[in-house]
Amino acid sequence: MAAEEVLQGADHYKSEIERLTRELSETTHEKIQAAEYGLVVLEEKLTLKQQYDELEAEYDGLKQELEQLKEGGESLPLRGGRSSHAIASRFPPTSGN
């Protein structure tokens, strides 16, 4: 009977090792998936940060251009290579204002 108990104990430990090995494999797979997802999120964050920085720079440039135009810089170059003076000459002020 002692030999039978030893075999049962060995079978129990063998099945426990198999179960733990499966759990370890699943957990490792889940960690790898989480890491891959994290990398995708970080790449997306970097892309969005770059877009934000570009838009902020464009906004600041437009804001500065607007402030210069408000200060009376009639011949300041605008986008497209035209000056505000050249554009204003195409659209003379209307009388009655």
Side-chain angles (χ1 to χ4, degrees):
M1 226 202 253
E4 201 173 293
E5 289 177 6
V6 170
L7 287 176
Q8 286 178 346
D11 286 342
H12 170 74
Y13 288 121
K14 184 178 178 181
S15 65
E16 185 68 12
I17 288 171
E18 289 172 356
R19 182 186 69 79
L20 291 172
T21 302
R22 280 192 309 272
E23 285 184 22
L24 178 61
S25 178
E26 290 173 10
T27 302
T28 302
H29 180 70
E30 289 171 358
K31 284 184 179 183
I32 290 170
Q33 282 183 322
E36 289 172 347
Y37 177 73
L39 287 174
V40 169
V41 170
L42 287 175
E43 289 173 1
E44 182 68 19
K45 179 184 175 189
L46 178 61
T47 300
L48 290 172
K49 174 73 170 120
Q50 289 172 340
Q51 289 175 348
Y52 174 83
D53 290 343
E54 291 169 4
L55 288 172
E56 187 174 39
E58 183 178 356
Y59 169 78
D60 289 341
L62 289 172
K63 185 176 176 182
Q64 183 179 8
E65 187 177 323
L66 179 62
E67 288 173 6
Q68 290 173 348
L69 288 173
K70 284 181 178 179
E71 291 172 1
E74 293 180 15
S75 62
L76 291 174
L78 296 176
R79 293 180 185 236
R82 294 191 244 161
S83 69
S84 57
H85 179 72
I87 293 173
S89 66
R90 290 183 61 203
F91 302 100
T94 58
S95 59
N97 282 356

